[in-house]
Amino acid sequence: MTDVLLDRITSLIGRYPVDESSVLTAWARIRALSLLVGDVYAESRDDEAIEVLQSQLGLAASLTLSSGGSLEVAAGHHDRLAADLAAVRTEKGRRSPLVSAARAHRMAAAVCRGDHADLRLFASGRPDGRDYTDALRLPT
């Protein structure tokens, strides 16, 4: 049976040469993170916080790509967005949409800085036993 998620991740990551200093690599990895989040929380797709987390990761990928070529500039944009979203948060709890939006931009900033902990978290140790870490072509 074909693993559609693996095919999508492989297609994203394989689109450009992997270069840890490239916004194209960061863009592809943030898009892959969005896919992984959506897959891990597939049974919670009607949960607004999960929907926001996934969609904000997609937005974060686009912001990274349009950052002018600098991963540090992109990370700074994500840091400011996360801080702004956290500052206006009105609801309480970890599952609020604003908390999820801020989390997405913190995750994207981390990817831009070469911190792949969130990618590894969502790619491995999954309830279904699948592991997508190799497909992300992360540094060792």
Side-chain angles (χ1 to χ4, degrees), residues 45-117:
R45 286 197 195 271
D46 59 342
D47 182 330
E48 187 179 18
I50 300 304
E51 183 181 324
V52 167
L53 178 61
Q54 188 176 15
S55 67
Q56 286 294 305
L57 282 167
L59 174 64
S62 296
L63 289 172
T64 298
L65 195 58
S66 64
S67 67
S70 166
L71 288 176
E72 197 51 45
V73 168
H77 289 315
H78 296 304
D79 288 337
R80 283 188 297 283
L81 275 168
D84 290 347
L85 289 163
V88 299
R89 188 176 93 198
T90 57
E91 4 8 68
K92 301 289 186 223
R94 293 182 37 212
R95 307 270 303 171
S96 78
L98 283 172
V99 169
S100 291
R103 179 179 180 202
H105 289 285
R106 283 193 305 274
M107 293 165 81
V111 170
C112 289
R113 290 190 174 99
D115 177 352
H116 304 304

Side-chain angles (χ1 to χ4, degrees), residues 27-56:
W27 169 83
R29 287 183 175 154
I30 296 168
R31 288 289 301 133
L33 182 55
S34 175
L35 295 173
L36 289 164
V37 164
D39 188 63
V40 166
Y41 294 118
E43 68 281 349
S44 303
R45 286 197 195 271
D46 59 342
D47 182 330
E48 187 179 18
I50 300 304
E51 183 181 324
V52 167
L53 178 61
Q54 188 176 15
S55 67
Q56 286 294 305

